[in-house]
Amino acid sequence: QREKKEQERKAKEERERRDRAQRGSNSRGRWSTGGFGDRGIRDAWTTYEKYWASVSSASTATPSVTRSPSTRRLTFLSIRWPTLVPPIKPTEITLAAVREFILSPLHSEGLSQKQRVRNALLRWHPDKFARFMDMVMIKDKAEVKAGAEIVARHLNSIMESL
């Protein structure tokens, strides 16, 4: 019985992942990348940067007064990860996906590849990312922390390869 439920859960996750990859967004329209064409990648980057600007300003705001509902309760699925296809679990955050997103020539044209990675590390390094953890829902804290650590490891690998 337990094994069957686990297989069904995994099958459902895989269907959802494929659906998001095909659409370029999840059911709430998180990343409208239009099939990941040039414009889609630029739009994904713009959405990513706007999201993190909002979360960053909310992390320093008075919790119940100025934080918007969308930044008060972060979940693994609500976070904009540095990938084109939104992951549904930390293991879906791959080196290739992070590299493709961060180093895309379709955004941040004035920055070198090293500067792009350095900027991303300022957000995703565990010491820096810790300031957002109080905004994460308790049920998602372990997954979000694991995801951020994976991103930081991938960014360090990318930096070493440049």
Side-chain angles (χ1 to χ4, degrees):
Q1 183 76 13
R2 197 178 266 169
E3 205 172 286
K4 185 177 179 181
K5 284 186 179 184
E6 180 65 15
Q7 287 175 340
E8 289 172 356
R9 184 188 63 77
K10 286 182 179 180
K12 181 181 176 187
E13 283 180 359
E14 181 60 22
R15 280 192 307 275
E16 289 173 353
R17 187 191 64 73
R18 273 187 296 211
D19 288 348
R20 278 195 326 279
Q22 184 177 5
R23 287 191 316 265
S25 69
N26 71 10
S27 62
R28 290 169 286 171
R30 280 187 20 204
W31 293 73
S32 180
T33 59
F36 306 128
D38 289 4
R39 181 171 178 213
I41 293 170
R42 285 187 192 99
D43 289 349
W45 181 261
T46 300
T47 300
Y48 172 82
E49 287 296 312
K50 284 181 181 176
Y51 171 83
W52 281 107
S54 171
V55 170
S56 294
S57 66
S59 73
T60 59
T62 306
S64 61
V65 178
T66 54
R67 285 186 187 169
S68 70
S70 64
T71 58
R72 243 183 274 150
R73 298 279 187 244
L74 301 179
T75 65
F76 184 86
L77 294 176
S78 73
I79 290 174
R80 300 310 198 269
W81 299 96
T83 60
L84 285 171
V85 177
I88 58 172
K89 56 188 175 184
T91 56
E92 291 183 1
I93 303 170
T94 65
L95 176 62
V98 173
R99 180 189 317 270
E100 177 184 29
F101 188 71
I102 296 294
L103 299 183
S104 172
L106 299 172
H107 63 75
S108 309
E109 290 87 359
L111 299 177
S112 70
Q113 289 185 337
K114 283 189 175 190
Q115 188 60 49
R116 291 175 188 209
V117 176
R118 198 173 294 120
N119 289 346
L121 277 167
L122 290 174
R123 176 175 294 144
W124 293 102
H125 187 279
D127 292 341
K128 304 291 185 185
F129 195 81
R131 71 185 178 126
F132 303 118
M133 290 303 292
D134 70 327
M135 297 164 58
V136 177
M137 294 189 63
I138 292 170
K139 70 176 183 63
D140 283 17
K141 281 191 185 277
E143 271 193 321
V144 169
K145 183 178 180 197
E149 289 171 351
I150 289 169
V151 169
R153 279 196 304 273
H154 291 334
L155 290 168
N156 282 321
S157 294
I158 295 166
M159 184 64 92
E160 289 171 9
S161 72
L162 296 176

